[in-house]
Amino acid sequence: MADKLTEDRVRGALGSLPGWSLADGKLHWQHQFADFVEAFGFMSRVALVAESMNHHPDWSNCWATVTIDLVTHDAGGITENDLELARRINDLV
Amino acid sequence: MADKLTEDRVRGALGSLPGWSLADGKLHWQHQFADFVEAFGFMSRVALVAESMNHHPDWSNCWATVTIDLVTHDAGGITENDLELARRINDLV
Amino acid sequence: MADKLTEDRVRGALGSLPGWSLADGKLHWQHQFADFVEAFGFMSRVALVAESMNHHPDWSNCWATVTIDLVTHDAGGITENDLELARRINDLV
Amino acid sequence: MADKLTEDRVRGALGSLPGWSLADGKLHWQHQFADFVEAFGFMSRVALVAESMNHHPDWSNCWATVTIDLVTHDAGGITENDLELARRINDLV
């Protein structure tokens, strides 16, 4: 299992993760798409990536808005898996 | 635009909407699926129904758990559209 | 129900539908995406549009390739609904 | 890479794969769902499983009908990966 990262390590990684911030101990991201079709099409792609990584987001959707929080519940914090999923989400946008 | 329903009307409708409750002025629903694949497959079906109704849920997903809140933001409360979407979601489960 | 269009009407419409051609009496389109994730994300968006129009494509997918044929089976040919779905698919690409 | 299986091996495996047949050197399956929403919801789940296996179907959809052909193009025939994907698809139905 991936280990919980130090806050310093996470803050350092955020430098190369535009759009992500640290909130309540999770990697946080929010984006407003053009409409629901664009938002859910994006979620479908994230779902495919997440399932293939066997690492899934906590996320919510309200029409065109998608909010994602990444944390590794089993590790009690943010791990390299969360950073990797954040990177792959950024590649999809 | 659909009108906001009275709380009495909403509480009456809940009688034929198993799994739904009234929470914070919204129709609230939560279900735990077998895994992420089942949860997201369900969300894909709800998304198709919602887009065809042009009425969308506020919803979140955490692995196998899907949480849905229905409210008509423009009407400032629950409308017939929310009841109809709740019924159609129940038909999908 | 929408009426079957003449071949002249269809050929005229193709002028403003880049990527589409007439094949076997259907509107035909094929695109190669970067990978399966992009291809299926696109299909998810098309599915939402199609369901909301209550007009659906005949389509196939092989990894990154998506092939779409549009025809209105009930009308025995191409109708305005097919042209409209083709236009909306082009807007999604 | 998985090796191409003998036809005997494939025919033997079909005994425990209800709904699947051998057609044109591929594992073939077709199912008619209740409507497009059910059909595409199923496809969304198959897509997640396929991406997580990094092994994808050749498939098509026409409203409520989904047709799937499984073959490993790189191996020039049916492999254990195709049998495994067929099994997992059957688990989803």
Side-chain angles (χ1 to χ4, degrees):
Chain A
M1 194 184 72
D3 291 326
K4 178 180 173 175
L5 301 173
T6 64
E7 188 171 328
D8 274 4
R9 168 75 181 97
V10 173
R11 291 202 179 278
L14 285 173
S16 53
L17 283 171
W20 293 84
S21 60
L22 187 57
D24 289 329
K26 303 175 184 180
L27 289 178
H28 181 76
W29 182 93
Q30 188 173 73
H31 191 76
Q32 186 142 356
F33 292 85
D35 53 28
F36 179 74
V37 170
E38 293 299 318
F40 198 77
F42 169 77
M43 291 175 73
S44 293
R45 293 187 294 149
V46 172
L48 291 165
V49 168
E51 181 66 11
S52 73
M53 290 178 62
N54 195 25
H55 190 68
H56 302 83
D58 293 352
W59 55 351
S60 63
N61 162 243
C62 179
W63 197 58
T65 303
V66 177
T67 306
I68 304 179
D69 286 288
L70 302 181
V71 69
T72 303
H73 297 286
D74 291 345
I78 296 168
T79 66
E80 289 290 347
N81 289 339
D82 298 303
L83 295 179
E84 175 63 15
L85 182 51
R87 273 181 220 111
R88 296 189 62 179
I89 288 172
N90 275 14
D91 287 343
L92 292 178
V93 178
Chain B
M1 193 184 72
D3 290 326
K4 178 180 173 175
L5 301 173
T6 64
E7 188 172 327
D8 273 3
R9 167 74 181 99
V10 173
R11 291 202 180 279
L14 285 172
S16 54
L17 283 172
W20 293 84
S21 60
L22 187 57
D24 289 330
K26 303 175 184 179
L27 289 179
H28 180 77
W29 182 93
Q30 188 174 73
H31 192 76
Q32 186 143 354
F33 292 86
D35 54 28
F36 179 75
V37 170
E38 293 299 318
F40 198 78
F42 169 77
M43 291 175 73
S44 294
R45 294 187 293 149
V46 172
L48 290 166
V49 168
E51 181 66 11
S52 73
M53 291 179 61
N54 195 24
H55 191 68
H56 302 83
D58 294 351
W59 54 351
S60 62
N61 162 243
C62 178
W63 197 58
T65 303
V66 177
T67 306
I68 304 179
D69 286 288
L70 302 182
V71 70
T72 303
H73 296 288
D74 292 346
I78 295 168
T79 66
E80 289 290 347
N81 289 339
D82 298 303
L83 295 179
E84 175 64 14
L85 182 51
R87 274 182 221 111
R88 295 189 63 178
I89 288 172
N90 275 15
D91 288 343
L92 292 178
V93 178
Chain C
M1 192 185 72
D3 291 325
K4 177 180 173 176
L5 301 173
T6 64
E7 189 172 327
D8 273 4
R9 167 75 181 97
V10 174
R11 290 202 181 278
L14 286 173
S16 53
L17 284 172
W20 293 84
S21 59
L22 187 58
D24 289 330
K26 303 175 183 179
L27 289 178
H28 181 75
W29 181 93
Q30 189 173 72
H31 192 76
Q32 186 142 355
F33 292 86
D35 54 28
F36 179 75
V37 170
E38 293 299 318
F40 198 77
F42 169 77
M43 291 175 72
S44 294
R45 295 187 292 149
V46 171
L48 291 165
V49 168
E51 181 67 11
S52 73
M53 291 179 62
N54 195 25
H55 191 68
H56 302 83
D58 294 351
W59 54 351
S60 63
N61 162 243
C62 178
W63 197 57
T65 302
V66 177
T67 306
I68 304 179
D69 286 288
L70 302 182
V71 69
T72 303
H73 296 288
D74 291 346
I78 296 168
T79 65
E80 290 290 347
N81 289 339
D82 298 303
L83 295 179
E84 176 62 15
L85 182 52
R87 273 180 220 113
R88 296 188 63 178
I89 288 172
N90 275 15
D91 287 343
L92 293 177
V93 178
Chain D
M1 193 185 72
D3 291 325
K4 177 181 174 175
L5 301 173
T6 64
E7 189 172 326
D8 273 4
R9 169 73 182 99
V10 174
R11 291 202 180 279
L14 286 172
S16 54
L17 284 171
W20 293 83
S21 60
L22 186 58
D24 289 329
K26 302 175 183 179
L27 289 178
H28 181 75
W29 182 93
Q30 189 173 72
H31 191 76
Q32 186 142 355
F33 292 86
D35 54 27
F36 179 75
V37 170
E38 292 300 317
F40 198 77
F42 170 77
M43 291 175 73
S44 294
R45 294 187 292 149
V46 172
L48 291 165
V49 168
E51 181 66 11
S52 73
M53 291 178 62
N54 195 24
H55 191 68
H56 302 84
D58 295 351
W59 54 352
S60 63
N61 162 242
C62 177
W63 197 59
T65 302
V66 177
T67 306
I68 304 180
D69 286 288
L70 302 181
V71 68
T72 304
H73 296 287
D74 291 346
I78 296 168
T79 66
E80 289 292 346
N81 289 339
D82 298 302
L83 295 179
E84 175 63 15
L85 182 51
R87 273 181 221 111
R88 296 188 63 179
I89 288 172
N90 275 14
D91 287 344
L92 293 177
V93 178

